[in-house]
Amino acid sequence: MIKRISGKLFFTYLIIIIICVISVGLFSTFYLRDFYLNHLSSNLESNATLVKDILYPDLTKNNLSQINSKVKMLGEEIKTRITIIDPQGKVLGDSEENPALMENHSDRPEIKEALQGRTGKNIRYSATLGVDMLYISIPVVTDNQILGVVRLSLPLVEVKENIAYLRRITFLAALIGLLLASFVSLIMSLSITRPLREMTEISQRISQGDFSKKLKIRSQDEIGQLADNLNQMSEELENKLKIISEDKDKMEVILSSIVEGIIAVDKEGRIILFNQALKEMIGYSGNSVLGKFHWEVIRNNQVNKILKETLQKGETLTREITLFSPQEKIFYVSASPLIEKTKIWGAVVVLNDITEIKKLEKMRSEFVANVSHELRTPLTSIQGFVETLKEGAVDDPEKARYFLSIIERQSDRLNTLIEDLLQLSKIESEERLMNFQAVNLKELIEQVTLEFKGKIEDKGQLLKVDIPPQLPLLKADAEQIATALRNLLDNAIKYTPNKGEISITVLEKEKDIYVEVTDNGIGISSEHLGRLFERFYRVDKDRSRTLGGTGLGLAIVKHIVQAHGGKVGVGSELGKGSKFFFTLPKSPSL
């Protein structure tokens, strides 16, 4: 089967040309044959008339010898066979045969026509000569009586030869014409289909997203108009695809920047939208999720259930769920149906991570409870001893001084707690602006250690300080950094036994200054390390209160360091001591 249009056009033209050539050849052959036959017939009829006129006297007298001799003579002159037949079909004379030996001719078609007074004409095969013969017969009439028939016959050998020659000429001309017409039709088909091939190539490029090449067809016919339309369509399609691509990129950027997890599915539950935030939430590590069923990707029955219910009911649903993998988190889930013309075709689910909010709520409730408890303890003690003094203990000077000292100590404790709370609150709410100045960290550490010299000597502890001599200046709030150092050093002194060792180490790193306070005290078990910097969190509450701690010191340290752009950390092993450290960023301009 021919697939190319050029081939179809070429062979269509070729078939039409062949049909036309054959039709013209056949028509011309038959037309010329008829023309020759008519011309011969006309000549024979004229000669027959002349023969009739010549033999008319002899026929009227029935002079057979004259008839036969004249017939032979005339036949030789006009190169035509002449036969004379009487009304009964008997041959009276013949230019080529003996009349006496010839059979009756009354049954010959041309003779029958002539005996009826008309010119008879017939073509038939002569078994004697082995060729087709043309017979023309005319009647010889006198006084409305037919005296006989003059028949002239001529073999059609020359006619056949002329027709054969004409056929050869026609065939050769047809062959030459066919070759020329084939060449012309090939050129025409190629010229017609060349623009179509270019259009095909361009359309294939367009289907592959290549809009760089344009058609350069300048004809004003339908193909030219089609080429112009294709170029215009290519430009419009390129612009629209560019707009769609830009919109898609913007949508992907927006979706990737949204912290909420988003998934959209069609009515069958196949995923049509799935952002990066949700992949991170569920710990999905695969590549493509589009086209998959949501339960193949999300391994959480609660999320899958709310999606299924939304698709079935067509209602907006909200839930609070917990995902345990890759880590335990709490999410607020909102699922809404996608509706078009009252028909549900999908659903979208948004997952908001409320883990921190829940954690903050828990911390807030714990904070309120801790503050209430921490405030109630000294207030209860103060209130109890005041009542005891009022009931008469004030009259006993020794007891009164003892009770007043306890009240004073609890008041100091209460005052310290309130000051720590206020300081922590100001740092967290950024009400207290940091006074950043150039700070010599070595001098600052020496001042803080000097403040604790008495406590360290009282416990017989050894303090080691290791600070590089060329430590660069820092841009920091000296008072706040000193507070952080005091809290860390105070804790180290409190939880390190007598004659223990405490060390302060400072290291200069590439981007920051590393400060570490280490002791060989009681240490902390690993289960508590993650919460040490929370407000009011204590490893041993009774021991902390006995030592005078408020449970806010490490929280204050964390917020001071974070306000400077640094980080805090802890490392400890039960019974082997603890290591608290923080970093402060370098200041390139100092």
Side-chain angles (χ1 to χ4, degrees), residues 65-324:
S65 60
Q66 288 296 322
I67 291 174
N68 193 41
S69 61
K70 289 182 180 179
V71 164
K72 292 184 182 299
M73 181 187 64
L74 292 172
E76 289 178 2
E77 288 183 3
I78 63 176
K79 306 300 182 184
T80 303
R81 184 180 180 179
I82 303 172
T83 306
I84 307 299
I85 302 100
D86 66 7
Q88 285 74 37
K90 181 181 178 180
V91 177
L92 299 178
D94 189 88
S95 62
E96 295 181 4
E97 297 290 335
N98 186 359
L101 301 176
M102 297 177 68
E103 61 184 8
N104 191 285
H105 280 42
S106 61
D107 58 343
R108 304 294 196 269
E110 69 277 6
I111 302 301
K112 290 181 178 179
E113 287 288 326
L115 292 174
Q116 294 179 4
R118 299 188 296 270
T119 300
K121 179 181 178 182
N122 188 30
I123 297 173
R124 63 177 177 272
Y125 181 77
S126 173
T128 305
L129 300 177
V131 294
D132 287 336
M133 299 290 292
L134 172 63
Y135 298 96
I136 296 294
S137 301
I138 61 172
V140 180
V141 181
T142 180
D143 297 331
N144 293 326
Q145 270 190 327
I146 295 177
L147 298 178
V149 174
V150 177
R151 185 185 74 174
L152 273 67
S153 61
L154 187 69
L156 297 180
V157 175
E158 184 180 355
V159 174
K160 282 189 175 183
E161 290 177 354
N162 290 335
I163 295 298
Y165 176 74
L166 178 62
R167 285 176 179 171
R168 288 193 298 271
I169 295 297
T170 304
F171 176 78
L172 182 60
L175 182 61
I176 294 173
L178 182 62
L179 292 175
L180 293 174
S182 299
F183 178 74
V184 173
S185 65
L186 180 61
I187 297 299
M188 290 183 62
S189 62
L190 291 176
S191 65
I192 292 173
T193 57
R194 181 184 59 79
L196 297 179
R197 288 198 304 272
E198 291 183 14
M199 291 180 192
T200 302
E201 180 184 351
I202 295 297
S203 63
Q204 289 176 348
R205 291 194 176 197
I206 292 174
S207 67
Q208 297 170 358
D210 182 5
F211 301 95
S212 59
K213 192 172 182 181
K214 304 297 181 184
L215 288 168
K216 297 179 181 179
I217 299 172
R218 304 304 180 190
S219 61
Q220 301 299 317
D221 55 10
E222 291 82 353
I223 293 179
Q225 295 175 3
L226 180 60
D228 293 338
N229 292 337
L230 188 61
N231 286 334
Q232 185 178 358
M233 183 192 71
S234 175
E235 292 177 1
E236 292 180 357
L237 185 60
E238 183 180 10
N239 294 332
K240 289 181 179 179
L241 286 177
K242 186 177 180 180
I243 294 172
I244 292 172
S245 179
E246 291 175 352
D247 292 343
K248 182 182 178 182
D249 292 341
K250 291 177 183 177
M251 182 63 69
E252 289 180 353
V253 171
I254 293 172
L255 288 174
S256 61
S257 63
I258 294 176
V259 296
E260 290 82 6
I262 301 175
I263 177 176
V265 299
D266 59 17
K267 63 180 180 180
E268 295 177 352
R270 295 185 183 274
I271 298 173
I272 57 177
L273 181 66
F274 199 93
N275 71 341
Q276 183 64 30
L278 185 55
K279 286 185 178 181
E280 296 173 357
M281 288 177 181
I282 66 175
Y284 185 78
S285 58
N287 294 324
S288 177
V289 298
L290 300 182
K292 294 183 178 180
F293 291 104
H294 60 84
W295 59 81
E296 294 179 306
V297 178
I298 300 178
R299 305 294 184 177
N300 184 278
N301 291 333
Q302 293 174 294
V303 177
N304 291 326
K305 184 178 180 181
I306 195 173
L307 265 170
K308 185 177 180 180
E309 290 181 5
T310 303
L311 288 171
Q312 291 176 346
K313 298 179 180 179
E315 301 175 355
T316 299
L317 304 175
T318 57
R319 302 274 170 83
E320 191 174 295
I321 66 171
T322 302
L323 296 180
F324 296 95

Side-chain angles (χ1 to χ4, degrees), residues 474 508-514 583-588:
L474 292 175
E508 181 182 358
K509 297 188 175 181
E510 183 180 355
K511 296 182 179 180
D512 52 39
I513 301 298
Y514 176 84
T583 61
L584 296 172
K586 288 183 179 180
S587 302

Side-chain angles (χ1 to χ4, degrees), residues 19-73:
I19 292 173
C20 292
V21 168
I22 292 174
S23 299
V24 171
L26 292 174
F27 174 78
S28 60
T29 300
F30 287 117
Y31 174 78
L32 290 174
R33 184 176 183 276
D34 289 342
F35 173 78
Y36 272 122
L37 291 176
N38 290 332
H39 178 68
L40 289 175
S41 298
S42 178
N43 288 338
L44 288 177
E45 187 174 354
S46 298
N47 290 335
T49 302
L50 291 174
V51 171
K52 180 189 72 170
D53 292 339
I54 293 171
L55 297 178
Y56 180 77
D58 296 321
L59 285 172
T60 56
K61 297 177 181 180
N62 198 20
N63 190 352
L64 297 180
S65 60
Q66 288 296 322
I67 291 174
N68 193 41
S69 61
K70 289 182 180 179
V71 164
K72 292 184 182 299
M73 181 187 64

Side-chain angles (χ1 to χ4, degrees), residues 430-482:
E430 299 181 356
E431 290 182 7
R432 187 190 187 287
L433 298 177
M434 294 291 171
N435 183 21
F436 290 101
Q437 294 180 348
V439 175
N440 187 320
L441 186 60
K442 183 177 181 181
E443 294 179 359
L444 186 62
I445 292 174
E446 289 174 351
Q447 292 175 7
V448 172
T449 56
L450 189 61
E451 296 175 11
F452 289 90
K453 184 177 180 182
K455 284 186 178 183
I456 293 173
E457 290 177 349
D458 290 343
K459 298 188 70 173
Q461 296 171 337
L462 176 63
L463 176 63
K464 296 180 180 180
V465 179
D466 183 10
I467 305 176
Q470 300 299 325
L471 196 66
L473 296 177
L474 292 175
K475 190 173 184 181
D477 189 321
E479 182 181 346
Q480 293 299 317
I481 297 299

